[in-house]
Amino acid sequence: MMEGAFISTKEENIDLNQITLRRPFHLSDLDDIMVWTTDEKVANFCSWKPYTSKDEGVKFIETIPTKFLWCKAICLNDRAIGRISLKSRSPHDKSRNKTAELGYVIASKYWGKGIATCAVKQVVKVVFNELSHLERVEAFVDVENVGSQRVLEKAGFQKEGVLRKYLFMKGKSRDMIMFSVLFSDIKL
């Protein structure tokens, strides 16, 4: 983690050493999860629409282990302020699949404070050891999501290019930027 990194906001001082990743989500996280899953700003660049009920949050908690290859809560003082995950293209055949796709989401009140970058850096440090079959982690970012592009660049991902009209989501075709980090890029 980043030693001595404090981010000062009007509301609170955030010590980035207090950012942890934990698994799994618990029902006790429901109120924290609802903060970011009901926020339209957060859902804007995500495939899901803002949640409208706690039942959707409970379903998220119950089904999260089946949706991702690897998933953890991004926590500030053990409160779930977001999620970071990896999904596999072919989850049943690790011998052929050497790539996983990174995704993350964080409550909008924590945007621009270094928290997402801190979480992504933590993942890069551990994921190639925890999932030793991986050679590459990639991330797709909407061209309009400049904040997320900065997160990946600061975390050591390389920008590979723009994929034009790559994704149709929420009624429109979106250009996406592909980023990646390779096992060979990591300094152990």
Side-chain angles (χ1 to χ4, degrees):
M1 287 190 233
M2 304 163 162
E3 193 171 315
F6 281 89
I7 305 298
S8 180
T9 68
K10 291 178 184 174
E11 299 164 8
E12 62 186 310
N13 287 325
I14 297 173
D15 177 359
L16 294 180
N17 291 311
Q18 299 301 310
I19 302 301
T20 57
L21 305 180
R22 75 160 157 80
R23 180 185 344 212
F25 284 95
H26 307 286
L27 285 176
S28 60
D29 294 322
L30 182 59
D31 288 338
D32 293 331
I33 289 169
M34 293 306 290
V35 170
W36 44 272
T37 57
T38 59
D39 186 337
E40 287 189 30
K41 291 185 292 188
V42 173
N44 184 44
F45 294 114
C46 298
S47 59
W48 43 270
K49 293 180 181 177
Y51 290 8
T52 57
S53 73
K54 284 194 173 188
D55 289 340
E56 290 173 292
V58 169
K59 185 177 177 186
F60 167 82
I61 293 168
E62 291 173 345
T63 62
I64 201 82
T66 63
K67 291 184 176 189
F68 299 103
L69 173 66
W70 186 96
C71 183
K72 294 194 178 186
I74 300 172
C75 297
L76 175 60
N77 299 319
D78 204 40
R79 305 243 0 221
I81 63 168
R83 161 192 62 75
I84 193 160
S85 60
L86 293 168
K87 61 182 178 178
S88 177
R89 289 191 188 155
S90 47
H92 304 296
D93 188 359
K94 288 182 182 178
S95 66
R96 293 181 53 205
N97 188 14
K98 304 291 185 185
T99 301
E101 182 182 337
L102 176 72
Y104 49 89
V105 60
I106 193 165
S108 62
K109 85 178 229 175
Y110 298 108
W111 290 358
K113 299 180 183 353
I115 294 170
T117 301
C118 180
V120 172
K121 284 180 176 181
Q122 287 183 47
V123 169
V124 170
K125 284 182 183 178
V126 301
V127 75
F128 290 108
N129 288 325
E130 288 185 21
L131 302 171
S132 59
H133 67 282
L134 289 181
E135 293 178 356
R136 171 187 171 93
V137 173
E138 59 191 24
F140 298 88
V141 180
D142 193 296
V143 294
E144 295 176 14
N145 192 345
V146 176
S148 194
Q149 293 170 44
R150 280 195 303 263
V151 164
L152 293 167
E153 289 167 347
K154 288 178 184 178
F157 280 67
Q158 292 184 23
K159 181 178 178 179
E160 293 187 345
V162 176
L163 304 170
R164 299 178 308 148
K165 305 292 182 203
Y166 183 76
L167 182 65
F168 187 81
M169 185 173 70
K170 297 183 179 174
K172 85 178 209 184
S173 292
R174 297 173 182 248
D175 293 347
M176 304 297 283
I177 300 175
M178 179 182 273
F179 289 85
S180 72
V181 65
L182 306 177
F183 174 71
S184 59
D185 296 337
I186 306 303
K187 295 175 181 130
L188 300 173

